[in-house]
Amino acid sequence: MQGTTVRRAGLALAATALAALAACTSPDPADRPRGDDRAPRGSSLAALRSAERATERAGSARVESTTTMGSLMSMTADGTLGWRDGITGTLTITYTGGTIADTMRRLGTTSMEARYLPDAYYARMGEKFAEKAGGKRWIRYGYEDLEALAGGSGAHLGDQMRSSTPNQSVRLLLSSGDVRKAGEETVRGRPATHWSGTVDTADVTDDALRKRLTEAGVTSETVDIWVDERDLLVKKVEKARMADGLMTQTAHYGDYGVRVRAERPPRSDTGDFEDLVRQGTGRP
């Protein structure tokens, strides 16, 4: 297989693997500066902090999401994720439109299984791809090696994959100066409180968060979350204006505490992404 084709597919898979986890990441709560005048106050702050802690403590959930990133990609993801000791879990990702879907269609598949382990992400490709990749049906992406995908931004991808959790949306709202309670609603039959806010990247006082948003090309973002009576996040909608268009993601979370399994694919059926690129380009 030509190295450029492998690399193009590899970039697409890495991007969609990250998008399936979450739209944007934010730093750990300990990284946020205290006393930020733009942070929510009073009952809003207490409610959001409770949601953040409860969702983090739950440790795992079933996830269903839809994501659109301008003309680049639209996709759905469905499966279970855990975050007690690094991200683990299995998702089925289906490409429904955009240039990435076109790329994957040429490679013989518009749907794939993604497995997340603490040190690496695995993507199961179709038979057509395997025929051109030495018979390997799985591609492994070591998080430490992701910088090879796209220069320095690859390392950012690795950091995001390791740290993405559902409560990152709550953390993002905590850095918004205009977060507000939008009302009481019903989400899939459960009563939930709707919270909403807008984050302008230029106004973010947290240096680490501002850097991550800037590297992702985000200039502004609106975040809506729905929290149930157990303080658990049950739905989120994020919309961000990025350099290459509008990104939107809607995700539903349920079955918190579900058992999560993510087995490593057989070594004999797995190719490392960087090895595939070297084979395709003739690099030693």
Side-chain angles (χ1 to χ4, degrees):
M1 171 174 277
Q2 294 297 319
T4 54
T5 303
V6 175
R7 182 170 293 276
R8 187 181 302 115
L11 285 166
L13 291 171
T16 55
L18 174 59
L21 288 176
C24 297
T25 60
S26 58
D28 187 83
D31 295 333
R32 281 198 308 271
R34 304 302 177 189
D36 181 358
D37 290 339
R38 290 180 53 81
R41 291 287 182 253
S43 59
S44 296
L45 177 61
L48 290 173
R49 287 256 171 89
S50 293
E52 180 186 32
R53 289 192 295 266
T55 302
E56 183 173 12
R57 285 196 302 266
S60 65
R62 184 167 298 281
V63 182
E64 299 175 35
S65 69
T66 60
T67 304
T68 301
M69 298 178 68
S71 61
L72 178 67
M73 171 189 68
S74 60
M75 56 170 277
T76 64
D78 180 38
T80 56
L81 290 174
W83 52 89
R84 291 190 186 280
D85 185 21
I87 291 294
T88 58
T90 301
L91 296 177
T92 298
I93 298 174
T94 302
Y95 307 95
T96 56
T99 56
I100 288 181
D102 293 338
T103 297
M104 301 309 295
R105 194 174 293 112
R106 287 193 294 271
L107 292 171
T109 181
T110 56
S111 182
M112 72 173 188
E113 180 180 337
R115 296 183 186 177
Y116 302 87
L117 285 92
D119 64 328
Y121 152 67
Y122 295 83
R124 191 184 194 284
M125 301 299 295
E127 295 299 324
K128 184 175 180 180
F129 183 92
E131 290 174 2
K132 300 178 180 180
K136 309 292 187 181
R137 295 173 178 81
W138 291 88
I139 302 178
R140 177 188 182 276
Y141 299 84
Y143 297 146
E144 295 293 340
D145 300 327
L146 274 176
E147 65 270 14
L149 286 177
S153 62
H156 181 58
L157 283 173
D159 290 341
Q160 286 181 298
M161 288 188 185
R162 277 186 288 244
S163 62
S164 295
T165 61
N167 64 343
Q168 67 184 353
S169 298
V170 186
R171 295 174 183 175
L172 196 57
L173 265 185
L174 281 166
S175 66
S176 169
D178 72 342
V179 63
R180 62 195 180 279
K181 183 177 178 179
E184 302 294 332
E185 302 174 18
T186 300
V187 177
R188 295 189 169 181
R190 298 188 67 92
T193 301
H194 179 187
W195 298 91
S196 182
T198 301
V199 177
D200 292 322
T201 300
D203 294 333
V204 173
T205 57
D206 183 323
D207 291 339
L209 176 54
R210 186 172 62 252
K211 180 180 178 182
R212 292 188 186 198
L213 292 172
T214 300
E215 288 178 345
V218 176
T219 56
S220 66
E221 179 167 3
T222 60
V223 182
D224 289 84
I225 65 170
W226 287 258
V227 179
D228 70 7
E229 71 278 6
R230 302 166 297 171
D231 290 328
L232 292 172
L233 183 68
V234 292
K235 180 183 177 181
K236 69 117 178 220
V237 177
E238 294 187 32
K239 298 181 180 180
R241 180 64 59 183
M242 306 178 71
D244 56 356
L246 181 67
M247 181 282 299
T248 62
Q249 183 180 66
T250 299
H252 287 86
Y253 303 95
D255 202 8
Y256 276 96
V258 65
R259 182 181 179 185
V260 175
R261 297 186 63 182
E263 298 180 357
R264 294 185 190 277
R267 182 173 296 181
S268 60
D269 199 20
T270 303
D272 187 89
F273 174 71
E274 280 303 300
D275 289 342
L276 292 175
V277 170
R278 279 194 290 270
Q279 291 170 11
T281 59
R283 294 203 318 250

